[in-house]
Amino acid sequence: MSAIRGARERARTEVTAAIKDEARKQLAAEGAAKLSLRAVARELGMVSSALYRYFPSRDELLTALIVDAYDAVGEAAERAHRTAAGTPGTTGTARWVAVALAVRAWALAHPHEYALIYGSPVPGYTAPQDTVGPAARVGMVLIAVVEDAYRDEDRELPPLPDELRPEAERIAADVAPGLAPEVAAPLVAAWSQLFGLVSFEVFGQFHKVVEAREVFFRRAVTELARTVGLTTR
């Protein structure tokens, strides 16, 4: 009985993967707004009723694709952080840049999946709570980089305007309790600017503006590291 159950689970895993792979092809060809369960079923040679046993609605399939994408870019960031952290003498700035480069590399290699999670909202779709944890993975890596740097080295806190302090204190308490408000607020700003840089490149906004894009990106994210106190240069 256990062998039969195991075979069924393997078959379900394979069919689920095939459905998601075909859905990603549709994302690339048509965009998320036009994702259709019927079209996915047709391309896979399945009847719609069979596909609904795996994903009862378009929104459930979208959620699965969104979670996969967040997990993939999060894993890339985490792997870059582990590698950099495991290299003796690597500075906080070098770790920050390594993570940023990993995010950029993943986005350029998977532009349609990147667009799904960081592009325009899909009409009629509301992301469920299931997406929150995966969405936070890159941010958690950046927080870890900064926490490590402030724990391991004696660093001066960035200046914090008085009018921003209440919000900075709330951000620190809610998002990064291991960081001082002086660091938490610029970290959230740097996090959003990192994805702004990546989005401009992925969505073609740098066309005829920036040509040496990796050099430009490295310099820009190094400047972002400075804003959170990782470097003074």
Side-chain angles (χ1 to χ4, degrees):
M1 191 68 177
S2 61
I4 294 175
R5 187 183 303 114
R8 287 175 177 170
E9 290 175 353
R10 286 194 298 274
R12 184 174 183 85
T13 297
E14 291 172 1
V15 174
T16 299
I19 291 170
K20 291 196 287 188
D21 285 345
E22 179 56 37
R24 291 187 186 99
K25 292 178 184 177
Q26 286 197 20
L27 289 180
E30 302 288 343
K34 294 185 178 180
L35 181 63
S36 164
L37 290 182
R38 289 183 181 276
V40 171
R42 182 174 60 249
E43 290 298 321
L44 293 176
M46 299 172 66
V47 295
S48 298
S49 58
L51 190 147
Y52 290 141
R53 292 200 294 269
Y54 294 85
F55 296 100
S57 69
R58 181 210 68 160
D59 283 5
E60 291 200 23
L61 177 54
L62 267 178
T63 296
L65 297 176
I66 288 168
V67 168
D68 283 354
Y70 276 131
D71 278 338
V73 67
E75 182 179 344
E78 290 163 359
R79 183 167 55 248
H81 182 219
R82 286 195 301 270
T83 300
T87 304
T90 303
T91 64
T93 298
R95 296 181 189 186
W96 175 278
V97 172
V99 170
L101 287 169
V103 170
R104 174 181 180 267
W106 183 88
L108 292 176
H110 305 87
H112 303 294
E113 292 169 68
Y114 181 87
L116 177 63
I117 54 178
Y118 291 110
S120 300
V122 180
Y125 174 79
T126 300
Q129 190 69 21
D130 294 355
T131 62
V132 174
R137 286 178 67 172
V138 172
M140 292 300 100
V141 175
L142 296 176
I143 289 171
V145 170
V146 177
E147 285 181 340
D148 289 348
Y150 274 87
R151 182 179 59 250
D152 297 342
E153 302 176 31
D154 184 18
R155 293 178 176 274
E156 183 177 344
L157 294 175
L160 180 65
D162 290 342
E163 65 269 22
L164 184 57
R165 182 165 292 279
E167 180 64 7
E169 290 176 348
R170 186 200 61 77
I171 290 172
D174 291 350
V175 178
L179 293 175
E182 289 85 352
V183 180
L187 173 56
V188 171
W191 177 4
S192 65
Q193 289 172 76
L194 164 61
F195 280 100
L197 287 164
V198 174
S199 293
F200 258 55
E201 186 169 1
V202 171
F203 300 140
Q205 301 301 318
F206 282 148
H207 181 58
K208 293 187 177 180
V209 177
V210 177
E211 297 300 330
R213 293 175 186 165
E214 183 172 340
V215 173
F216 180 87
F217 183 84
R218 282 179 179 271
R219 186 64 233 171
V221 295
T222 299
E223 284 299 303
L224 293 180
R226 183 185 58 78
T227 68
V228 297
L230 294 184
T231 179
T232 58
R233 292 179 292 177

